[in-house]
Amino acid sequence: MRLLHTSDWHLGRSFHRVSMLSAQRAFLDHLVATVRDREADAVLVAGDVYDRAVPPLAAVGLFDDALHRLAALGVPTVMISGNHDSARRLGVGSGLLRQAGVHLRTDPADCGTPVLLDDAHGPVALYGLPYLEPAMVRDTLGAPRADHAAVLGAAMDRVRDDLAARPDGTRSVVLAHAFVTGGTASDSERDITVGGVASVPAAVFDGVDYAALGHLHGCQTLTERVRYSGSPLAYSFSEAAHRKSSWLVDLDADGTVHAERVDCPVPRPLARIRGPLEQLLDDPALTRHEDSWVEATLTDGSRPHEPMARLAKRFPHTLSLVFDPDEGPARSTASYAQRLRGRGDQEIAEDFVAHVRSGRAADDAERAELRSAIDEVRAADAAAEVAR
């Protein structure tokens, strides 16, 4: 059975205020063409279909069009909700869509109920594990604790129990949206840390033939059977070095996995350039970046006059300007967002405590109290979204 594994479409998301709708439409054209031309038997979408719980109408239109085109090809699609999606909204109409071969798995209670497909070698059971917010799903799944490892482990126990009751030789695939240990993150994934821990071990997926993961935006192989497809488009300059692609996975009769990367169309390359302004304006080696989306980091000791306007004359698609002087007091001019880049909620809270107490860091009890407060807010936000 041939499976096309993708994830993290983030329909409706912009890139530094530049609309990505046309690029997302081009990706979906590419997706449909790949399914048709490479004769895929099923499409797997491992969460974060949309970028936010209430997506703009244009994004919903893209999603609707993609589902119609995949259904017209007669190719089943299995899709789960991610941490950016509203599970309830994404799951609306799932019963009717199932009749068209579109299987939306957004309810944690259904983790152990697979979509069953068949090929010449017998059945393949595809289990959809939507993003599992620990505080919200602990009781549903009967997990011993409200953390990522416990709830995902409880969901996988349901998968293995169901699989054990199926005929010998049944092959198995799991879709999951999670941060798995060993994966490499970027700046554009939303922090999902709970209790100070964001990741779960890859061993949680033991017992299935293939785990199709979503959440991290870089395409990566954790084991031959556990892979991230990554996002089809770059959504931050931290992804400048990513090769955006999907996985075309062949699942043999005995469950052996053969995976091939299928490159996604690139709307415009990304470039991160660094140096004094005059050097960036004159360096012939940077000619190749003149049509790229550019993040420029200026190392001048003092701010040059009208740097963005001058950069835009050579690099008209400059989207981000960062000041990072090689030396001198100008270093403190970095924006608040720049200083927080790559830092989680817990780190930011602890830094604030140290700042207001003239450098005295939070002790163990205070760190635990901060962690508990952050987890409570996350759980309250998730509950409020469910209630909307």
Side-chain angles (χ1 to χ4, degrees):
M1 183 168 288
R2 175 164 287 182
L3 310 169
L4 183 64
H5 166 200
T6 179
S7 72
D8 295 274
W9 296 357
H10 288 279
L11 298 180
R13 187 165 185 163
S14 60
F15 181 73
H16 288 266
R17 299 176 299 282
V18 173
S19 172
M20 296 295 283
L21 281 173
S22 61
Q24 291 168 342
R25 185 178 296 108
F27 161 69
L28 293 173
D29 290 343
H30 156 81
L31 176 76
V32 172
T34 301
V35 171
R36 181 188 63 241
D37 297 344
R38 300 301 300 272
E39 299 181 335
D41 297 305
V43 177
L44 313 179
V45 187
D48 281 354
V49 176
Y50 293 119
D51 188 56
R52 55 183 185 266
V54 184
L57 289 176
V60 177
L62 284 182
F63 177 66
D64 180 64
D65 180 64
L67 294 190
H68 275 85
R69 294 166 71 186
L70 290 169
L73 291 176
V75 176
T77 299
V78 183
M79 184 176 294
I80 62 173
S81 50
N83 61 301
H84 280 249
D85 298 308
S86 165
R88 289 185 66 188
R89 289 186 177 88
L90 188 64
V92 168
S94 58
L96 289 173
L97 288 169
R98 184 168 59 246
Q99 298 177 31
V102 177
H103 304 272
L104 296 172
R105 293 306 169 99
T106 62
D107 187 347
D110 294 334
C111 287
T113 304
V115 176
L116 294 173
L117 303 179
D118 289 283
D119 64 8
H121 305 292
V124 177
L126 297 99
Y127 299 88
L129 279 55
Y131 172 67
L132 303 173
E133 181 64 44
M136 298 296 296
V137 304
R138 175 185 178 180
D139 293 340
T140 298
L141 296 175
R145 302 177 309 281
D147 61 44
H148 289 295
V151 298
L152 192 53
M156 282 302 301
D157 285 344
R158 292 190 176 200
V159 169
R160 284 184 281 265
D161 288 346
D162 180 85
L163 192 58
R166 296 196 174 274
D168 291 344
T170 299
R171 290 158 289 164
S172 55
V173 174
V174 165
L175 289 77
H177 195 87
F179 190 164
V180 178
T181 305
T184 301
S186 68
D187 290 345
S188 51
E189 297 107 7
R190 184 179 294 165
D191 181 24
I192 60 170
T193 302
V194 172
V197 178
S199 65
V200 299
V204 75
F205 299 107
D206 286 354
V208 297
D209 294 310
Y210 185 70
L213 301 182
H215 180 57
L216 300 184
H217 286 189
C219 182
Q220 45 201 301
T221 301
L222 303 186
T223 75
E224 285 303 305
R225 297 184 182 277
V226 181
R227 299 171 186 262
Y228 282 100
S229 65
S231 62
L233 297 166
Y235 291 113
S236 71
F237 277 102
S238 66
E239 300 172 56
H242 286 187
R243 173 187 164 195
K244 295 300 184 181
S245 56
S246 304
W247 286 111
L248 197 63
V249 177
D250 287 325
L251 195 61
D252 288 353
D254 62 355
T256 300
V257 170
H258 304 278
E260 172 192 348
R261 289 180 72 171
V262 179
D263 290 334
C264 297
V266 179
R268 191 181 298 279
L270 271 58
R272 302 179 104 172
I273 60 177
R274 178 185 177 91
L277 177 60
E278 295 301 331
Q279 177 182 315
L280 299 183
L281 295 177
D282 296 335
D283 189 350
L286 300 180
T287 300
R288 68 186 188 278
H289 298 315
E290 290 179 352
D291 196 43
S292 301
W293 278 320
V294 169
E295 178 185 72
T297 300
L298 301 186
T299 60
D300 302 79
S302 60
R303 286 189 182 234
H305 179 63
E306 295 186 339
M308 181 62 92
R310 295 167 67 188
L311 279 166
K313 290 181 179 179
R314 183 179 188 188
F315 307 103
H317 305 289
T318 301
L319 300 181
S320 175
L321 183 60
V322 179
F323 293 95
D324 186 19
D326 285 336
E327 58 184 18
R331 179 176 296 276
S332 63
T333 62
S335 72
Y336 181 70
Q338 290 160 7
R339 295 198 303 273
L340 296 186
R341 182 176 296 168
R343 304 183 69 77
D345 294 338
Q346 182 79 17
E347 292 175 288
I348 294 169
E350 291 180 17
D351 286 351
F352 176 76
V353 169
H355 172 73
V356 299
R357 295 200 309 207
S358 302
R360 183 163 63 87
D363 59 28
D364 289 346
E366 290 168 331
R367 285 195 294 271
E369 190 68 23
L370 288 169
R371 184 177 301 119
S372 176
I374 290 168
D375 290 349
E376 286 183 15
V377 170
R378 185 193 305 279
D381 286 347
E385 172 56 36
V386 169
R388 289 176 65 182

